Amino acid sequence: PAPVASAPPPAKSLSSAEADMQRWQVKAIKRLKAGKSAACEFESDFISPELAGAISGALESAETVDDVKAAFHGALVWEKYP
């Protein structure tokens, strides 16, 4: 039988770190909506300790969903910086 060609990855696939940051953001927003602090523990093998520290620091002062989104947006921009 002929080998089966695999489909190419989507043009805009997320890195493992980006996927973990999205999961962390969802968790932080759920906590905030439940009346808790957006700052929460999150373990990732793909997010560097420096980046995790920056996100955690920003989440400590987050008071709105937009604050949480801004924390992760800033982190994504920083992570992609050459």
Side-chain angles (χ1 to χ4, degrees):
V4 177
S6 61
K12 190 175 181 181
S13 61
L14 295 177
S15 72
S16 297
E18 290 171 327
D20 273 2
M21 282 190 272
Q22 281 191 344
R23 286 189 284 276
W24 190 1
Q25 178 176 308
V26 167
K27 181 179 179 180
I29 290 172
K30 283 182 182 179
R31 288 178 52 86
L32 194 64
K33 287 182 176 179
K36 301 177 184 177
S37 169
C40 55
E41 292 291 322
F42 190 86
E43 291 188 24
S44 172
D45 291 331
F46 306 105
I47 300 172
S48 71
E50 297 82 11
L51 189 57
I55 294 169
S56 292
L59 291 178
E60 286 177 13
S61 61
E63 296 180 359
T64 67
V65 171
D66 285 339
D67 291 345
V68 172
K69 290 180 179 180
F72 285 93
H73 175 74
L76 281 171
V77 170
W78 186 80
E79 190 225 358
K80 292 180 179 182
Y81 193 77

